[in-house]
Amino acid sequence: MFKFEKEQKVWDFNGTKLGGQPGEYPTVLAASIFYNKHEAVLDDKTGKINKPMAEALWNRCQTLSDATGIPHMIQILAEYPEAFESYISWFDSIDNKTAFLMDSSVPKALAHACKYVTDVGLAHRAIYNSINGSIAQENIDALKNSDVDAAIVLAFNPADPSVAGREKVLVEGGVAGQKMGMIPIAEECGITRPILDTAATPLGLGSGSAYREILACKAIHGFPTGGAYHNMTVAWTWLRRWKGTHKTPSLLAEGYKGNDVLLEQMSKHYLGGIEGIKQAAWSAPDIGCNMIASTLGADLIMYGPIENVEAMITAQAYTDITVLEAMRPLGIDVKAESHPIFKLI
């Protein structure tokens, strides 16, 4: 565990504190909802959703956050302007306090979301995701003209995934023709609450540097830092083949064919038989990758599909307790009113 010499900034999102020295505040989790092929989405263009399902999922996150002391944000994904309006309006109707991330692969939709949250008075809760090397002028202008003051600032450098390369993108730019670094662009856009994303990259393509960059971001800039480290497992070809897909047979399952004794015994420990075994093999790195980041000081973990909350939050609570206990001998103690060490010990 590490105590940083540089002053560590803390951003306040309606009472949810993000940042600080490791151990001072519980790690904030962000759950993705309305992602591609999500069962809660009935029409991804208009934003029509299964409201009881979506609300039940978010309520479960809140229930677990209350029980463990690990706070939650929600990450809303949309590809169409109308869908963004629908999703954000729905979320505000069931939760008028929690911050939400706005994420999209379509620049026009994300630009529209900035205007929408400003028009309806929700910009103070919105987090733009993300300012990166490919940000379009349309989106820079949209941020400048909005009241959004928080954004994910991405340290992605496809040409140089080293820590030095990631820092160059943040400070100097040079990616996709950008003449400015991502942090200066954020400042130009009126972002006063930047959250640095170390840019999770696949195994074999700089995954280790994505973790080391956590230390660099906090030590050099002092801003809250984190990332979507589960993307490393999603991009791990071997793991996908090991678990199997609808189109590709599971390599793991091959090892159980004709071995009924093994399957019978293992099924006593993994509910659902072979499907439960495959899911466990996937979930271990999918959740565990985030614990590495937390141990290194990450403040925000964007853990992917909201349905992963059960496994994610128990693992996060465990990690936050151990990090705090490790930091106390270094003179750091919890500043938050709610923390897993108060709730679960």
Side-chain angles (χ1 to χ4, degrees):
M1 285 65 175
F2 305 89
K3 179 180 179 180
F4 298 97
E5 292 184 4
K6 187 173 182 66
E7 178 189 358
Q8 296 298 300
K9 301 294 185 181
V10 179
W11 308 142
D12 188 336
F13 292 92
N14 284 342
T16 297
K17 302 290 183 66
L18 180 68
Q21 293 283 357
E24 290 183 334
Y25 298 96
T27 304
V28 177
L29 300 181
S32 296
I33 196 168
F34 311 138
Y35 50 85
N36 184 38
K37 297 182 180 180
H38 192 199
E39 294 85 350
V41 178
L42 303 178
D43 187 325
D44 66 343
K45 293 184 179 180
T46 65
K48 183 179 180 181
I49 60 173
N50 182 328
K51 292 183 178 181
M53 179 191 295
E55 185 169 356
L57 287 168
W58 179 242
N59 285 345
R60 183 58 179 167
C61 290
Q62 293 296 77
T63 296
L64 291 173
S65 286
D66 290 342
T68 62
I70 296 290
H72 253 94
M73 293 178 179
I74 197 165
Q75 181 164 233
I76 297 173
L77 289 88
E79 303 299 293
Y80 297 91
E82 186 178 353
F84 253 134
E85 291 190 16
S86 175
Y87 297 159
I88 293 171
S89 176
W90 162 78
F91 184 62
D92 184 52
S93 74
I94 66 165
D95 185 329
N96 61 7
K97 181 180 179 181
T98 304
F100 53 89
L101 289 81
M102 307 182 299
D103 192 0
S104 180
S105 62
V106 180
K108 182 178 180 180
L110 202 47
H112 180 83
C114 291
K115 182 178 186 303
Y116 174 72
V117 295
T118 299
D119 290 344
V120 298
L122 296 177
H124 64 291
R125 293 170 56 194
I127 302 172
Y128 181 95
N129 190 10
S130 65
I131 293 175
N132 57 67
S134 59
I135 188 170
Q137 187 62 46
E138 174 187 13
N139 293 72
I140 291 175
D141 293 339
L143 275 170
K144 285 181 179 180
N145 295 326
S146 76
D147 293 334
V148 176
D149 67 358
I152 302 295
V153 181
L154 190 65
F156 180 54
N157 187 337
D160 182 1
S162 69
V163 171
R166 294 168 198 262
E167 278 302 304
K168 182 178 180 180
V169 167
L170 288 179
V171 178
E172 300 176 21
V175 173
Q178 293 288 353
K179 297 181 180 179
M180 295 173 60
M182 300 307 105
I183 292 176
I185 289 176
E187 293 172 349
E188 183 181 277
C189 290
I191 299 301
T192 58
R193 293 184 292 176
I195 303 165
L196 304 185
D197 184 330
T198 65
T201 41
L203 301 182
L205 294 174
S207 60
S209 293
Y211 287 121
R212 288 182 58 215
E213 178 66 5
I214 297 169
L215 301 175
C217 284
K218 292 185 71 67
I220 296 171
H221 308 290
F223 292 141
T225 299
Y229 302 99
H230 75 100
N231 285 330
M232 295 178 178
T233 56
V234 172
W236 191 6
T237 301
W238 176 86
L239 186 62
R240 293 202 307 273
R241 292 172 178 168
W242 190 244
K243 180 186 178 185
T245 67
H246 295 298
K247 297 181 179 179
T248 307
S250 165
L251 295 178
L252 181 155
E254 288 292 321
Y256 282 81
K257 286 185 177 180
N259 201 336
D260 294 341
V261 173
L262 176 63
L263 181 58
E264 180 182 0
Q265 177 59 26
M266 293 292 280
S267 296
K268 295 176 182 178
H269 295 265
Y270 296 93
L271 297 178
I274 192 65
E275 293 303 317
I277 296 169
K278 290 193 293 183
Q279 185 59 42
W282 173 275
S283 294
D286 193 47
I287 300 301
C289 65
N290 300 300
M291 304 306 99
I292 299 174
S294 295
T295 305
L296 293 171
D299 306 291
L300 175 67
I301 299 293
M302 295 172 276
Y303 64 85
I306 193 170
E307 290 82 2
N308 291 344
V309 62
E310 299 287 351
M312 184 63 218
I313 205 162
T314 52
Q316 193 64 62
Y318 171 90
T319 305
D320 275 25
I321 292 170
T322 58
V323 167
L324 174 56
E325 289 190 322
M327 294 302 294
R328 280 175 166 168
L330 301 180
I332 300 294
D333 209 340
V334 62
K335 291 183 177 180
E337 294 181 4
S338 180
H339 191 281
I341 205 163
F342 300 143
K343 300 249 184 186
L344 308 179
I345 299 298

Tab-separated table of all heavy atoms in Angstrom, residues 184-207:
chain	number	residue	atom	x	y	z
A	184	PRO	N	-5.296	19.320	-19.886
A	184	PRO	CA	-5.550	20.686	-20.365
A	184	PRO	C	-6.864	20.820	-21.127
A	184	PRO	O	-7.552	21.837	-21.008
A	184	PRO	CB	-4.344	20.967	-21.266
A	184	PRO	CG	-3.251	20.113	-20.710
A	184	PRO	CD	-3.942	18.862	-20.263
A	185	ILE	N	-7.225	19.811	-21.925
A	185	ILE	CA	-8.505	19.863	-22.636
A	185	ILE	C	-9.654	19.888	-21.634
A	185	ILE	O	-10.615	20.646	-21.784
A	185	ILE	CB	-8.651	18.665	-23.595
A	185	ILE	CG1	-7.709	18.818	-24.779
A	185	ILE	CG2	-10.091	18.544	-24.095
A	185	ILE	CD1	-7.713	17.638	-25.737
A	186	ALA	N	-9.537	19.065	-20.593
A	186	ALA	CA	-10.575	19.040	-19.561
A	186	ALA	C	-10.718	20.406	-18.900
A	186	ALA	O	-11.829	20.902	-18.681
A	186	ALA	CB	-10.257	17.972	-18.518
A	187	GLU	N	-9.594	21.024	-18.609
A	187	GLU	CA	-9.619	22.359	-17.997
A	187	GLU	C	-10.274	23.369	-18.931
A	187	GLU	O	-11.071	24.206	-18.498
A	187	GLU	CB	-8.198	22.793	-17.647
A	187	GLU	CG	-7.553	21.965	-16.542
A	187	GLU	CD	-6.079	22.294	-16.363
A	187	GLU	OE1	-5.512	23.003	-17.230
A	187	GLU	OE2	-5.495	21.840	-15.363
A	188	GLU	N	-9.948	23.273	-20.214
A	188	GLU	CA	-10.524	24.184	-21.207
A	188	GLU	C	-12.041	23.998	-21.305
A	188	GLU	O	-12.785	24.944	-21.583
A	188	GLU	CB	-9.879	23.927	-22.570
A	188	GLU	CG	-10.337	24.861	-23.666
A	188	GLU	CD	-9.686	24.539	-25.000
A	188	GLU	OE1	-8.549	24.988	-25.238
A	188	GLU	OE2	-10.315	23.817	-25.801
A	189	CYS	N	-12.496	22.789	-21.063
A	189	CYS	CA	-13.929	22.484	-21.134
A	189	CYS	C	-14.685	22.862	-19.860
A	189	CYS	O	-15.900	22.649	-19.781
A	189	CYS	CB	-14.124	20.999	-21.408
A	189	CYS	SG	-13.637	20.471	-23.059
A	190	GLY	N	-13.980	23.381	-18.863
A	190	GLY	CA	-14.639	23.756	-17.618
A	190	GLY	C	-14.778	22.622	-16.631
A	190	GLY	O	-15.584	22.703	-15.692
A	191	ILE	N	-13.982	21.571	-16.803
A	191	ILE	CA	-14.032	20.434	-15.887
A	191	ILE	C	-13.197	20.758	-14.648
A	191	ILE	O	-11.978	20.890	-14.733
A	191	ILE	CB	-13.520	19.151	-16.564
A	191	ILE	CG1	-14.381	18.805	-17.773
A	191	ILE	CG2	-13.479	17.997	-15.571
A	191	ILE	CD1	-15.843	18.574	-17.468
A	192	THR	N	-13.855	20.884	-13.532
A	192	THR	CA	-13.166	21.172	-12.266
A	192	THR	C	-13.045	19.942	-11.381
A	192	THR	O	-12.364	19.976	-10.360
A	192	THR	CB	-13.910	22.268	-11.495
A	192	THR	OG1	-15.269	21.848	-11.249
A	192	THR	CG2	-13.927	23.575	-12.279
A	193	ARG	N	-13.719	18.850	-11.790
A	193	ARG	CA	-13.633	17.595	-11.033
A	193	ARG	C	-13.210	16.459	-11.985
A	193	ARG	O	-14.010	15.590	-12.314
A	193	ARG	CB	-14.974	17.268	-10.368
A	193	ARG	CG	-15.371	18.241	-9.266
A	193	ARG	CD	-16.663	17.801	-8.572
A	193	ARG	NE	-17.831	17.905	-9.441
A	193	ARG	CZ	-19.056	17.512	-9.114
A	193	ARG	NH1	-19.275	16.954	-7.930
A	193	ARG	NH2	-20.059	17.660	-9.969
A	194	PRO	N	-11.948	16.484	-12.414
A	194	PRO	CA	-11.477	15.409	-13.291
A	194	PRO	C	-11.236	14.115	-12.521
A	194	PRO	O	-10.789	14.133	-11.371
A	194	PRO	CB	-10.158	15.964	-13.837
A	194	PRO	CG	-9.668	16.875	-12.752
A	194	PRO	CD	-10.898	17.494	-12.153
A	195	ILE	N	-11.548	13.002	-13.163
A	195	ILE	CA	-11.273	11.675	-12.619
A	195	ILE	C	-10.398	10.970	-13.638
A	195	ILE	O	-10.824	10.732	-14.772
A	195	ILE	CB	-12.573	10.876	-12.391
A	195	ILE	CG1	-13.517	11.653	-11.470
A	195	ILE	CG2	-12.255	9.503	-11.808
A	195	ILE	CD1	-14.945	11.122	-11.477
A	196	LEU	N	-9.177	10.672	-13.283
A	196	LEU	CA	-8.234	10.090	-14.230
A	196	LEU	C	-8.485	8.591	-14.383
A	196	LEU	O	-8.565	7.862	-13.404
A	196	LEU	CB	-6.794	10.355	-13.775
A	196	LEU	CG	-6.427	11.829	-13.549
A	196	LEU	CD1	-4.947	11.954	-13.230
A	196	LEU	CD2	-6.781	12.681	-14.768
A	197	ASP	N	-8.607	8.167	-15.625
A	197	ASP	CA	-8.815	6.761	-15.965
A	197	ASP	C	-7.522	6.247	-16.579
A	197	ASP	O	-7.055	6.766	-17.596
A	197	ASP	CB	-9.976	6.654	-16.966
A	197	ASP	CG	-10.342	5.230	-17.317
A	197	ASP	OD1	-9.449	4.349	-17.291
A	197	ASP	OD2	-11.520	4.981	-17.639
A	198	THR	N	-6.939	5.232	-15.966
A	198	THR	CA	-5.618	4.770	-16.404
A	198	THR	C	-5.656	3.953	-17.687
A	198	THR	O	-4.616	3.532	-18.183
A	198	THR	CB	-4.934	3.938	-15.307
A	198	THR	OG1	-5.678	2.722	-15.084
A	198	THR	CG2	-4.849	4.729	-14.005
A	199	ALA	N	-6.836	3.724	-18.260
A	199	ALA	CA	-7.018	3.058	-19.562
A	199	ALA	C	-6.611	1.593	-19.516
A	199	ALA	O	-5.477	1.231	-19.861
A	199	ALA	CB	-6.270	3.792	-20.671
A	200	ALA	N	-7.545	0.760	-19.086
A	200	ALA	CA	-7.294	-0.684	-19.045
A	200	ALA	C	-7.028	-1.206	-20.446
A	200	ALA	O	-7.830	-1.013	-21.350
A	200	ALA	CB	-8.500	-1.397	-18.436
A	201	THR	N	-5.894	-1.854	-20.620
A	201	THR	CA	-5.518	-2.409	-21.917
A	201	THR	C	-5.349	-3.921	-21.785
A	201	THR	O	-5.057	-4.427	-20.695
A	201	THR	CB	-4.222	-1.764	-22.427
A	201	THR	OG1	-3.283	-1.625	-21.329
A	201	THR	CG2	-4.477	-0.393	-23.005
A	202	PRO	N	-5.568	-4.664	-22.872
A	202	PRO	CA	-5.564	-6.134	-22.803
A	202	PRO	C	-4.246	-6.718	-22.307
A	202	PRO	O	-3.177	-6.109	-22.432
A	202	PRO	CB	-5.838	-6.547	-24.254
A	202	PRO	CG	-6.520	-5.374	-24.872
A	202	PRO	CD	-5.899	-4.183	-24.224
A	203	LEU	N	-4.339	-7.935	-21.783
A	203	LEU	CA	-3.141	-8.670	-21.393
A	203	LEU	C	-2.232	-8.820	-22.605
A	203	LEU	O	-2.680	-9.162	-23.691
A	203	LEU	CB	-3.521	-10.052	-20.866
A	203	LEU	CG	-4.452	-10.099	-19.645
A	203	LEU	CD1	-4.691	-11.545	-19.230
A	203	LEU	CD2	-3.878	-9.303	-18.495
A	204	GLY	N	-0.958	-8.535	-22.393
A	204	GLY	CA	0.000	-8.601	-23.479
A	204	GLY	C	0.170	-7.295	-24.231
A	204	GLY	O	1.072	-7.160	-25.056
A	205	LEU	N	-0.692	-6.327	-23.929
A	205	LEU	CA	-0.630	-5.026	-24.617
A	205	LEU	C	-0.563	-3.868	-23.617
A	205	LEU	O	-1.141	-2.819	-23.841
A	205	LEU	CB	-1.840	-4.858	-25.541
A	205	LEU	CG	-1.918	-5.820	-26.725
A	205	LEU	CD1	-3.241	-5.648	-27.461
A	205	LEU	CD2	-0.749	-5.589	-27.681
A	206	GLY	N	0.122	-4.101	-22.516
A	206	GLY	CA	0.314	-3.023	-21.551
A	206	GLY	C	-0.602	-3.079	-20.346
A	206	GLY	O	-0.794	-2.056	-19.685
A	207	SER	N	-1.141	-4.243	-20.040
A	207	SER	CA	-2.064	-4.334	-18.900
A	207	SER	C	-1.384	-3.932	-17.588
A	207	SER	O	-1.981	-3.261	-16.748
A	207	SER	CB	-2.621	-5.755	-18.782
A	207	SER	OG	-1.572	-6.700	-18.590
